[in-house]
Amino acid sequence: MKGANFLNEIIYADNAATTQIDEEVLNFMIDLQKKYFGNPSAVYKISKPVKKILNESRKIIAECINAESQEIFFTSGGTESDNTAIKSVLFENLSERPNVITSAVEHKAILNSCEAMKNLGCTITKISVDKFGSIDVDELEKKIRRKTKLISIMFANNEIGTIQPVEKISEVAKAHGIIFHTDAVQAVGHLPIDVKNFDIDMLSASAHKFNGPKGTGFLFIREGLKILPFIDGGGQENNFRAGTENFSAIAAMAFALKKNCEQMKLNAEKVSECAEVLLKILREKNIDFILNGGENRLPGHLSLSFKNCNGETLMHRLDLKNICVATGSACNSRRNEISHVLKAIKLQKNYARGTVRITFGKKNTPHDAKTIAEVLTQIVNQG
Ligand code: PLP
């Protein structure tokens, strides 16, 4: 197949599920593994460079989101960061049976963390979204109660790409003295993020979404925020998240994030061009589909719902042609049901069932987009 961007035969367009690690980042990580093995907490000389690398990585990451080094806590990825944010705040306030406000379109790492806390006496308020997946900030403000201790609204949605009005949400949270957390797993490395300017209290990120390695991420926690440690043990991460640090992956994450932030504008232009090429072809071929998520979406992120089709069938038939896309969301791809996000935007069922998510990454080319559009057209027209 021509136009394949890597792995020779494959067109990979599922970058919201994961990205391929950047080659330079991978080589850097392997090199570190070869050179250093000392435990960063040890005090003899072979551990010193490891500790130094960790500190430098923390600084690089902090600079990328305009935070301070001591506000970055390394985790195993987005799921752990989200669990920590939700549970640490709610555990801190557990005796008051606290309330958390979140949205109907969050990732399961948020929704299921909230559900787990419900069993311990916490309450959850879920804000609905409009047809584009965006929350209404006035509705959010009306739902605030005396016991609301946390507002957790994602930066950008992993299924339909909608970018939420984060600055307005943080304004409301501040006005009511409530902690604001945002799951920015899909946004970090792809959209400009300034935690000071946006007045964010906590932010989750995951390295494998921005061409870093899997199994590492971070949680930004504004300095001075009083929350309970989530993983107890040997006192690493300033007594907040114990466990020997995965130092080479952390350093690779910092490198990948810096690289992506430096190339953000260029990458956004590239992936947006791919998305435009694909949409143009589908429209020219008169294919009946809905583009979900409205105008204010992540660049290169297409959630497309084809009338009277089956998303899973479309995904498998594209796979047979060596094209990787997702049905709605990777987390739902093994279940043949309409995702909670598509239900929340009230998409008609005859379109919702035929949803595929195509997410371009920095390695994709307009030729990839053209190939995907042509193969999709054939499959949809065959019925
Ligand atoms: N939050 C969002 C919005 C995501 O898209 C994902 C992964 O798809 C996660 C959290 C979980 O991140 P991780 O895979 O690093 O655990």
Side-chain angles (χ1 to χ4, degrees), residues 77-79 82 107 154 158 183 185-186 206 208-209:
T79 301
D82 283 348
H107 190 272
M154 69 204 319
N158 50 300
D183 174 347
V185 165
Q186 292 291 337
S206 179
H208 74 101
K209 306 290 187 178

Side-chain angles (χ1 to χ4, degrees), residues 66-134:
N66 195 23
E68 303 299 324
S69 291
Q70 65 275 19
E71 296 176 319
I72 303 298
F73 295 83
F74 299 129
T75 67
S76 64
T79 301
E80 187 190 320
S81 296
D82 283 348
N83 269 262
T84 306
I86 299 289
K87 294 177 183 174
S88 296
V89 175
L90 296 183
F91 271 122
E92 179 74 39
N93 296 283
L94 203 56
S95 59
E96 295 176 50
R97 302 174 80 80
N99 168 256
V100 51
I101 299 180
T102 188
S103 83
V105 294
E106 298 297 309
H107 190 272
K108 293 286 178 186
I110 293 291
L111 293 176
N112 289 344
S113 293
C114 292
E115 280 304 319
M117 293 308 288
K118 217 160 122 179
N119 299 330
L120 298 175
C122 304
T123 60
I124 311 172
T125 305
K126 268 191 220 163
I127 304 289
S128 58
V129 293
D130 63 15
K131 64 178 180 176
F132 301 120
S134 189

Side-chain angles (χ1 to χ4, degrees), residues 306-356:
F306 295 90
K307 191 176 180 187
N308 297 334
C309 288
N310 179 302
E312 221 174 301
T313 311
L314 292 177
M315 187 265 282
H316 285 302
R317 290 174 71 180
L318 285 164
D319 192 29
L320 287 176
K321 300 276 184 186
N322 290 339
I323 295 170
C324 302
V325 304
T327 58
S329 146
C331 300
N332 297 327
S333 62
R334 277 184 297 273
R335 277 183 267 140
N336 190 13
E337 60 182 53
I338 297 171
S339 79
H340 67 288
V341 175
L342 299 181
K343 278 185 192 152
I345 61 170
K346 299 192 175 71
L347 188 63
Q348 299 107 282
K349 279 193 180 133
N350 58 336
Y351 282 93
R353 288 208 177 87
T355 303
V356 290

Side-chain angles (χ1 to χ4, degrees), residues 170-377:
S170 75
E171 249 174 57
V172 168
K174 284 292 112 70
H176 293 266
I178 298 166
I179 296 173
F180 171 46
H181 165 256
T182 185
D183 174 347
V185 165
Q186 292 291 337
V188 170
H190 303 287
L191 296 175
I193 294 182
D194 182 326
V195 289
K196 286 201 179 84
N197 214 3
F198 294 177
D199 226 340
I200 293 167
D201 293 314
M202 303 173 89
L203 173 144
S204 302
S206 179
H208 74 101
K209 306 290 187 178
F210 50 80
N211 308 95
K214 291 171 183 53
T216 190
F218 67 89
L219 178 64
F220 155 79
I221 307 175
R222 180 179 295 288
E223 199 169 17
L225 211 68
K226 202 168 158 275
I227 57 171
L228 275 186
F230 185 58
I231 296 187
D232 299 306
Q236 289 91 345
E237 296 297 291
N238 206 12
N239 281 318
F240 186 74
R241 197 273 191 187
T244 302
E245 298 87 343
N246 185 3
F247 93 97
S248 60
I250 289 169
M253 163 165 69
F255 186 7
L257 183 56
K258 187 163 184 269
K259 194 166 173 181
N260 266 30
C261 287
E262 281 165 1
Q263 299 172 349
M264 191 179 282
K265 198 163 167 277
L266 182 71
N267 290 342
E269 280 167 11
K270 268 197 209 167
V271 294
S272 300
E273 188 192 349
C274 291
E276 283 313 312
V277 166
L278 191 144
L279 289 173
K280 187 165 176 277
I281 295 174
L282 292 184
R283 284 175 184 141
E284 278 168 5
K285 305 267 183 191
N286 289 322
I287 301 293
D288 191 346
F289 71 96
I290 293 172
L291 167 61
N292 301 308
E295 286 297 313
N296 195 22
R297 293 191 329 275
L298 286 164
H301 191 121
L302 297 175
S303 165
L304 305 178
S305 299
F306 295 90
K307 191 176 180 187
N308 297 334
C309 288
N310 179 302
E312 221 174 301
T313 311
L314 292 177
M315 187 265 282
H316 285 302
R317 290 174 71 180
L318 285 164
D319 192 29
L320 287 176
K321 300 276 184 186
N322 290 339
I323 295 170
C324 302
V325 304
T327 58
S329 146
C331 300
N332 297 327
S333 62
R334 277 184 297 273
R335 277 183 267 140
N336 190 13
E337 60 182 53
I338 297 171
S339 79
H340 67 288
V341 175
L342 299 181
K343 278 185 192 152
I345 61 170
K346 299 192 175 71
L347 188 63
Q348 299 107 282
K349 279 193 180 133
N350 58 336
Y351 282 93
R353 288 208 177 87
T355 303
V356 290
R357 182 187 67 181
I358 301 166
T359 47
F360 292 106
K362 62 182 183 181
K363 285 201 159 192
N364 286 117
T365 62
H367 192 279
D368 292 344
K370 185 167 173 273
T371 307
I372 298 173
E374 281 165 0
V375 175
L376 248 176
T377 303

Side-chain angles (χ1 to χ4, degrees), residues 20-27 211-212 256 259-260 263 362:
Q20 189 189 23
I21 189 166
D22 182 284
E23 216 170 298
E24 236 189 320
V25 171
L26 178 63
N27 289 334
N211 308 95
K259 194 166 173 181
N260 266 30
Q263 299 172 349
K362 62 182 183 181

